[in-house]
Amino acid sequence: MNSVLPPLFVSHGSPMIALEPGDAGRFMRRLGDALDAGWGRPKAVLAVSAHTTARESVLLGGARHEAIYDFGGFPPALYQLRYDASGDPALAAAVGAALGVPVIDHGGLDHGIWTALRYIYPEADVPVVPLAFDPQASPATLMALGERMAALSREGVLILATGSITHNLRLLFRPNGAGQRPEEKSPEMPESAAFRGWMAERSAARDWDALADYRRQAPGAVLMHPTDEHLLPWYVAAGAGGREDAPLRLHEGVTFGCLGMDAYAFGPQAGALAAQLEKETAPV
């Protein structure tokens, strides 16, 4: 068994991924199997999601977490799904003290967390500690926060960041040439492909300065991310992985032609996880 867990970023896309896994859901199921095979079960998941934000970083130290349905207008079946996991108040307190981050006695998993975890750990048998972050913080600030969390990866804690590698919901309602909205399997917009490719290329080059300055340097950045919050968790996980090893794209994909579903691993064990994933073929 490997001793250092690789910090992760996964794109969760629409809440409907919980009912319709698609390629990203199938990948996340394989991801859970690969982590089990190579690292065993973590003692906890420290979750950083685009949908759990606050005016300052804060840890949710509740003893129990339930799925939060922080969305509207979806089929009734989606609201019937549950993901009930234990928290870890002691770990939250220890991490809060180490990071200088307050801890509140509060529980709940936003859809960015529970839709991913229901594929990675479907039995909900791993404690979860959510970390809210300031969505106005810069990528560099959140990388520094992640760097302060790096020791957790050596202590059996899986750092799981969730968001979307591209995220502009207005584009989901754009009409095409025939006056129709894009379908799930619509061809990818050139701007989306360019942005995802830039992230992968700059990651492989360990171009941390460019990555932190993505809004000015990446092609189509403002179109793909009108606001930052769905990409910012990527930087927390990247910081936790460290700057010596290149972020590694484990999965790439897109839905509705513009909603990127890429996933990344960080740190010295990213390559080992990629190799383990090649051995896993578990269906959803």
Side-chain angles (χ1 to χ4, degrees):
M1 289 288 181
N2 294 304
S3 59
V4 181
L5 282 156
L8 302 173
F9 171 86
V10 297
S11 296
H12 60 74
S14 161
M16 283 298 292
I17 193 173
L19 290 174
E20 300 171 354
D23 290 341
R26 286 186 283 272
F27 160 76
M28 285 190 276
R29 183 58 186 272
R30 290 172 45 236
L31 176 62
D33 290 341
L35 289 168
D36 280 349
W39 286 263
R41 286 291 161 106
K43 71 178 185 182
V45 172
L46 183 68
V48 185
S49 166
H51 298 280
T52 296
T53 60
R55 279 179 274 186
E56 63 177 358
S57 296
V58 59
L59 286 152
L60 277 58
R64 176 179 169 81
H65 299 290
E66 296 180 358
I68 297 173
Y69 308 102
D70 51 342
F71 45 76
F74 289 90
L78 187 57
Y79 302 88
Q80 303 305 311
L81 296 178
R82 298 188 63 87
Y83 192 88
D84 302 331
S86 63
D88 192 330
L91 177 63
V95 173
L99 298 181
V101 170
V103 181
I104 59 174
D105 184 15
H106 181 74
L109 305 177
D110 71 59
H111 77 267
I113 298 173
W114 70 261
T115 58
L117 286 178
R118 76 183 304 270
Y119 291 115
I120 299 172
Y121 297 121
E123 300 302 319
D125 54 356
V126 179
V128 184
V129 177
L131 171 65
F133 69 92
D134 177 2
Q136 303 303 318
S138 69
T141 296
L142 292 175
M143 279 195 69
L145 174 64
E147 288 169 355
R148 288 153 52 202
M149 295 160 47
L152 295 172
S153 297
R154 300 189 292 272
E155 298 169 2
V157 176
L158 175 65
I159 297 170
L160 176 67
T162 79
S164 288
I165 203 70
T166 61
H167 190 269
N168 183 342
L169 295 184
R170 290 195 296 272
L171 296 175
L172 300 183
F173 301 99
R174 74 191 190 281
N176 60 19
Q180 299 172 327
R181 293 178 180 176
E183 298 179 351
E184 183 176 357
K185 297 296 185 181
S186 295
E188 184 173 16
M189 293 176 60
E191 297 89 343
S192 173
F195 182 88
R196 293 193 307 110
W198 184 90
M199 286 291 295
E201 291 165 2
R202 292 302 87 210
S203 293
R206 293 185 297 169
D207 191 348
W208 299 111
D209 289 341
L211 288 163
D213 193 30
Y214 90 94
R215 288 195 78 80
R216 289 197 314 116
Q217 298 195 31
V222 176
L223 179 64
M224 291 297 99
H225 287 283
T227 55
D228 282 317
E229 76 285 339
H230 273 78
L231 189 60
L232 290 178
W234 189 97
Y235 294 95
V236 180
R243 296 174 180 262
E244 292 186 7
D245 298 281
L248 182 60
R249 184 162 65 174
L250 300 178
H251 173 78
E252 61 172 304
V254 66
T255 59
F256 301 101
C258 61
L259 192 58
M261 302 301 292
D262 296 5
Y264 280 79
F266 306 89
Q269 292 299 318
L273 178 56
Q276 188 64 47
L277 274 164
E278 293 182 359
K279 305 175 185 178
E280 304 297 335
T281 58
V284 173

